[in-house]
Amino acid sequence: MKQPYLLLTPGPLSTTASVKDAMQIDYCTWDSDYRQVTETIRQQILAMAQADAETYTTVLLQGSGSFGVEATIGTAVPRTKATLMIAINGAYGQRISQIAEYYGIPHVDVVFNEDEAVDPARIEATLTAHPEITHFATVHSETTTGILNPIEALMPIMHAHGIVTIIDAMSSLGGVPINVDELDCDYLISSANKCVQGVPGFAFIIAKQATLAQTVDNARSLCLDLYDQWQAMTKQPGKWRFTSPTHVVHAFAQALIELQAEGGVAPRYERYHANQQLLSDGMQALGFDLVIDPAIQGPIITSFKYPNTDFDFADFYQFIKQRGFVIYPGKVSNIPSFRIGTIGDVEPSDIQRLLTIIGDYQQLHQ
């Protein structure tokens, strides 16, 4: 069956035919070949993130990216004598706060406007005002708008205060260069269906082994116990605790091969960046203003304001979909907007075709 449209979304995203083909065989989870694939993936993720295998480990976890975030929050933060600070400037930071609420974890939320990057100065001031804080979490690429938060500036502040650090790098790892060794973070979370260009089915957590080793009995959930998942994969290499998403694992393995063939994360970032720049410039020329300042814009997804009060997003969406592209509704709470992703198996030529279609729509509705 031919793919009817390109997904211009932040994940799931458009994948190559070869990644899809990798899912056409049924695999046994006990098979040594399959277990070797799992182990290879774990090591390749560390290499992709520039994380030393002596210091860090990769834990794979069934479910969406949010499963990985919840497992990390629920396992990393002890049940007593711990407080989590959360830097929030969008829906995914708010989701971390929701997780903390569900688990009864004391938390201090530092909330920024949705069109504003996390400010290290405010974060440091909050740490000074709240000496009870032991853990910190934030989102690197906040896909509510497309902002890229300054994790490189935040981590030294946390180290100076002895804070355990958790980075949600869901929609950035694999598409934006990240050096985990230099960041020296404790946890960094991502997902199979984002910038590596795999399909949905599992999340993965890069964790500092010394930090994770101290989390035994912390978890509030059986299935989302990150420590136990790590122990299972350590004691029986390549074995997941519960049924693993075998087809998705093979698709991800193929996606990693293709990431390497592209030249690695840096060239992929350049392609995504070129897509985003072309989109941003072209949309502004067509009368769509940006929601956020280009200085804090990442290459993953871009938010655009409605051009006027009569703008009908549903009609706009269907016009574009019928011509081969799917985009995203807006997530900014106080600005009527929509979003267009620039990651996945997408080239600048695809973005140019999209701009032509949107130009046609504008002409029809003048």
Side-chain angles (χ1 to χ4, degrees), residues 64-77 84 86 88 91-107 109 137 139 166 168 170 189 220-221 224:
S64 72
S66 291
F67 283 55
V69 174
E70 183 164 333
T72 303
I73 298 297
T75 303
V77 183
L84 174 67
I86 310 164
I88 300 170
Y92 298 95
Q94 289 288 356
R95 189 169 296 174
I96 296 174
S97 180
Q98 283 183 289
I99 291 166
E101 280 293 310
Y102 265 77
Y103 284 156
I105 294 171
H107 57 104
D109 294 353
V139 178
I166 301 164
D168 174 345
M170 205 64 60
I189 310 155
R220 284 86 166 163
S221 164
L224 300 182

Side-chain angles (χ1 to χ4, degrees), residues 173-254:
L173 184 64
V176 176
I178 293 174
N179 189 315
V180 167
D181 283 343
E182 289 183 2
L183 285 175
D184 195 28
C185 58
D186 292 286
Y187 301 92
L188 187 137
I189 310 155
S190 193
S191 177
N193 59 292
K194 301 293 186 178
C195 292
V196 177
Q197 297 183 185
V199 300
F202 70 88
F204 53 89
I205 299 91
I206 297 169
K208 192 175 285 187
Q209 295 183 48
T211 307
L212 186 55
Q214 298 173 22
T215 63
V216 60
D217 297 329
N218 280 3
R220 284 86 166 163
S221 164
L222 170 67
C223 295
L224 300 182
D225 188 333
L226 196 62
Y227 176 87
D228 273 5
Q229 189 86 338
W230 174 47
Q231 289 299 294
M233 290 184 167
T234 301
K235 292 171 183 175
Q236 296 187 73
K239 194 73 181 72
W240 304 51
R241 279 189 304 157
F242 308 120
T243 302
S244 62
T246 53
H247 303 76
V248 174
V249 168
H250 275 267
F252 189 76
Q254 177 61 30

Side-chain angles (χ1 to χ4, degrees), residues 28 220 251-252 327 340 348 352 356:
C28 174
R220 284 86 166 163
F252 189 76
I327 62 172
I340 301 178
Q352 190 57 63
T356 300

Side-chain angles (χ1 to χ4, degrees), residues 282-356:
M283 289 293 285
Q284 289 178 87
L286 289 169
F288 294 91
D289 291 336
L290 302 171
V291 170
I292 63 172
D293 188 325
I296 55 175
Q297 171 70 56
I300 309 304
I301 194 166
T302 308
S303 295
F304 299 97
K305 297 176 184 178
Y306 286 3
N308 52 62
T309 55
D310 297 327
F311 181 72
D312 185 341
F313 176 75
D315 182 65
F316 180 68
Y317 176 93
Q318 288 300 328
F319 184 91
I320 294 171
K321 181 180 178 182
Q322 288 164 8
R323 288 155 182 80
F325 294 95
V326 164
I327 62 172
Y328 249 30
K331 214 173 177 74
V332 180
S333 57
N334 61 346
I335 301 173
S337 61
F338 60 90
R339 295 172 292 164
I340 301 178
T342 40
I343 63 175
D345 186 29
V346 177
E347 300 288 340
S349 58
D350 298 310
I351 301 301
Q352 190 57 63
R353 285 195 297 119
L354 172 72
L355 290 169
T356 300

Side-chain angles (χ1 to χ4, degrees), residues 1 18-19 42 58-59 64 83 92-93 113 128 132 147 159 162 183 197 217 273 284 317 323 329 338 352 359:
M1 180 179 176
S18 44
V19 165
R42 293 179 69 203
T58 307
V59 186
S64 72
T83 300
Y92 298 95
N113 294 330
T128 302
E132 73 275 17
I147 284 176
H159 300 149
L183 285 175
Q197 297 183 185
D217 297 329
H273 179 69
Q284 289 178 87
Y317 176 93
R323 288 155 182 80
F338 60 90
Q352 190 57 63

Side-chain angles (χ1 to χ4, degrees), residues 28-40 235-239:
C28 174
T29 58
W30 280 99
D31 186 85
S32 60
D33 289 347
Y34 174 74
R35 291 172 65 177
Q36 184 57 50
V37 169
T38 297
E39 279 303 290
T40 300
K235 292 171 183 175
Q236 296 187 73
K239 194 73 181 72

